Amino acid sequence: MRRKGLATMAVQSVEADASTTNLPVDLGPATALSCRECGERFELGPIFACSSCFGPLEVAYDLPLGDAEALRKEIEAGPDNIWRYAPLLPVPADVASKPSLNPGFTKLVKADNLARELGVTGGLYVKDDSGNPTHSFKDRVVAIAVEAARAFGFTTLSCSSTGNLAGAVGAAAARAGFRSCVFIPHDLEQGKVVMAAVYGGELVGIEGNYDDVNRFCSELIGDPLGEGWGFVNVNLRPYYGEGSKTLAYEICEQLGWEIPDQLVIPIASGSQLTKIDKGLKELIALGLVEDKPYKIFGAQAEGCSPVSTAFKAGHDVVRPQKPNTIAKSLAIGNPADGPYVLDIARRTGGAVEDVNDEQVVESIKLLAETEGIFAETAGGVTVGVTKKLIEAGLLDPSLTTVVLNTGDGLKTLEAVAPTTGQSAVIRPNLDSFREAGLA
């Protein structure tokens, strides 16, 4: 019933916006929205659910099939950000000239030290998205959503967020000239609260968890109070989700236009994982990479692991859970793309696994100590799950593996602070240093 209600609000929302804006929609190669369940197509607009079967909508394209080598050269000659892939995204051709945070093209780190610790011999890489403007992968998805908001004439950017998205929306709105008002659970990590608030938009804490926040935002969309608002992960969700494809594009380009054998991806809503898979399939269809088997693994925290639980039980239905984990950026108890994650993990021969809070902290430290990358808790989840998958014989250490770090550890200092600090406090002389046993 709730899904049907949201679909009705989505249709009402686009009808209201279409009647007030009458703006031409230029989103580059995007041609329509297509239902992931029944395939029904809709005109491009701020809608996110099919009015026939209530399934989720995603962007359909007229992609530049044909001369793969020419397209590869065009991409390589583009800017060092996600706009190099503009021909494959729902954005206008002149997107690079518009005010934007220009995220993307972050480092793909060859993690040889971590590989030795984990026993990986086939090549281990960390896609480190902490290098984005607000230090998380959310800058990618928000950048695409901003272009949709421009196309549909919205004046306010909003979202429901577990923290990183709130900061990304606030920063992107400030840069692009939008008002912003974002909603978060009231008890997020202080670093994420400050970062989301510093950009000058409205930051509203909701008493409850992320799923409570998301329900509130869905109600606001259907109310006159939300008129003119673009919720990047609700009524702009089909466009927003496409930003995650750029991770797949970049990884393959940085590997010399090759698909890695295995990818380990954190799961919150599940959208990132499903869109990376979509991006890989598009690269194959375009002839930009050679078609080859690949495995996708999903990573969750034990205290919020509805997809992992369903995968291990062999279920197709993902039962919601009440989050209780230090990995708050992944604490979505009712993940919208959960069933599709299950499909992809099973189709590719991957798996979905989880780790507990202690393992998350240990893995944050392991990545920092071996590669100098300070990951937030979501990165700890991904590294921890990678280790667990290798030990269980589910991930082949002889194959090329890419692990995603989606955010900066400076945002989640609380996770490691109790067990991390000064080695010693000494007097400012050599004798004191010797006495401390540090020489």
Side-chain angles (χ1 to χ4, degrees), residues 173-195:
R175 172 69 176 141
F178 286 84
R179 172 182 178 251
S180 68
C181 181
V182 300
F183 302 90
I184 59 173
H186 70 287
D187 59 350
L188 284 185
E189 302 97 335
Q190 186 63 16
K192 291 181 180 177
V193 172
V194 172
M195 187 168 189

Side-chain angles (χ1 to χ4, degrees), residues 86-127:
L88 312 180
L89 297 170
V91 296
D94 64 348
V95 63
S97 66
K98 297 184 178 184
S100 167
L101 296 179
N102 299 324
F105 222 65
T106 54
K107 293 179 181 180
L108 183 68
V109 179
K110 193 168 190 298
D112 292 338
N113 297 328
L114 179 62
R116 282 192 291 272
E117 287 291 326
L118 299 181
V120 175
T121 58
L124 179 65
Y125 297 83
V126 176
K127 180 58 171 171

Side-chain angles (χ1 to χ4, degrees), residues 41-67:
R41 292 168 78 90
F42 301 83
E43 291 185 3
L44 296 171
I47 55 175
F48 57 95
C50 175
S51 58
S52 295
C53 75
F54 318 121
L57 301 181
E58 61 181 11
V59 180
Y61 295 92
D62 180 12
L63 290 176
L65 300 170
D67 192 339

